[in-house]
Amino acid sequence: MAIINQATKELQVKIVYYGPAKSGKTTNLEQVHSNVQVPASTAKGKMTSLATSSDRTLFFDFFPLEAVAIKGFKTKFALFTVPGQVIYNATRQIVLRGVDGIVFVADSQYDKMEENIETFKHLEDNLKTLNLNLNDIPYVMQYNKRDMPEVAPVEYLDFVLNNREVQVPSFEASAAKCEGVFETLNMITRMLLHKFLNDGVRK
């Protein structure tokens, strides 16, 4: 849930990058943090990352990214990732608390398809545990690692991961090359801005 600070006229929105281990979630955030252009008067948020030997991101990466004002409120997007490995599922639930938008980062390689499907199911289950429904949350799909050999066609990825009555936006990406990273981020932020503009900023 977005955090509204009436005193400072700030609206903080939480976006979580979710996906299987080593699918490129952290790489997306690293590319955004390294390449995002901020005004000279604005300090770029600090990126925090915790790692283990078995999984690159144990907890989360976070930094605030400022956007346009909504009805007089300065919008700040806080970007997080979840750990990819199933053994950290409880941590995934903690990071998902208060989520406003989701980027599902899938690994396009054929041999990762089972992990993609399993992780997407875990996402839905974890949201249910938090009394949330994925259908009520703006989200987009990113089909990452398109530069790797043996990648599945986008149509196949859509069939196994985005097979709904109304498909959500999806993007081909190679996060390591910063391809598709900002297209993905721009879409989820536009969807969230549209939602809050329609809903209105409430006290």
Side-chain angles (χ1 to χ4, degrees):
M1 175 179 284
I3 299 172
I4 301 171
N5 188 323
Q6 293 286 344
T8 61
K9 292 292 182 180
E10 281 190 352
L11 171 69
Q12 183 164 300
V13 179
K14 182 176 183 178
I15 299 173
V16 174
Y17 282 65
Y18 201 104
K22 304 185 188 306
S23 61
K25 304 178 298 296
T26 297
T27 304
N28 265 273
L29 267 64
E30 288 174 340
Q31 292 286 15
V32 172
H33 190 256
S34 297
N35 294 289
V36 70
Q37 300 296 315
V38 297
S41 59
T42 304
K44 185 185 292 188
K46 183 178 179 181
M47 187 168 178
T48 302
S49 180
L50 302 176
T52 70
S53 58
S54 59
D55 196 358
R56 187 178 178 193
T57 308
L58 171 59
F59 192 46
F60 63 79
D61 304 299
F62 159 84
F63 67 95
L65 180 70
E66 292 185 6
V68 297
I70 300 178
K71 298 184 178 180
F73 283 77
K74 184 168 64 176
T75 312
K76 185 173 287 188
F77 293 98
L79 310 184
F80 291 77
T81 64
V82 298
Q85 293 192 337
V86 179
I87 59 172
Y88 299 122
N89 197 53
T91 306
R92 290 178 180 175
Q93 292 180 14
I94 292 170
V95 177
L96 280 171
R97 287 177 185 167
V99 66
D100 296 297
I102 294 170
V103 175
F104 187 87
V105 182
D107 190 322
S108 293
Q109 298 173 96
Y110 270 115
D111 62 358
K112 299 294 184 180
M113 216 52 57
E114 187 176 337
E115 288 180 55
N116 288 328
I117 295 168
E118 181 183 87
T119 305
F120 192 82
K121 180 65 166 58
H122 285 160
L123 168 61
E124 293 183 295
D125 291 343
N126 284 332
L127 289 171
K128 287 177 184 176
T129 299
L130 299 170
N131 295 315
L132 298 172
N133 188 320
L134 184 60
N135 294 324
D136 299 328
I137 300 172
Y139 76 98
V140 299
M141 308 293 296
Q142 184 191 85
Y143 303 140
N144 193 28
K145 300 194 176 183
R146 300 303 296 173
D147 56 324
M148 299 293 285
E150 302 297 325
V151 296
V154 170
E155 294 78 11
Y156 180 74
L157 287 156
D158 273 335
F159 177 75
V160 297
L161 295 171
N162 198 10
N163 192 2
R164 295 173 180 259
E165 187 173 337
V166 179
Q167 289 188 332
V168 301
S170 63
F171 298 87
E172 296 183 68
S174 173
K177 298 179 179 179
C178 202
E179 296 173 359
V181 170
F182 280 93
E183 291 84 350
T184 304
L185 178 62
N186 288 340
M187 177 55 74
I188 190 63
T189 54
R190 282 205 301 270
M191 290 168 70
L192 287 166
L193 289 170
H194 180 73
K195 176 184 177 181
F196 286 110
L197 280 169
N198 283 345
D199 293 348
V201 178
R202 301 183 179 89
K203 293 184 180 180

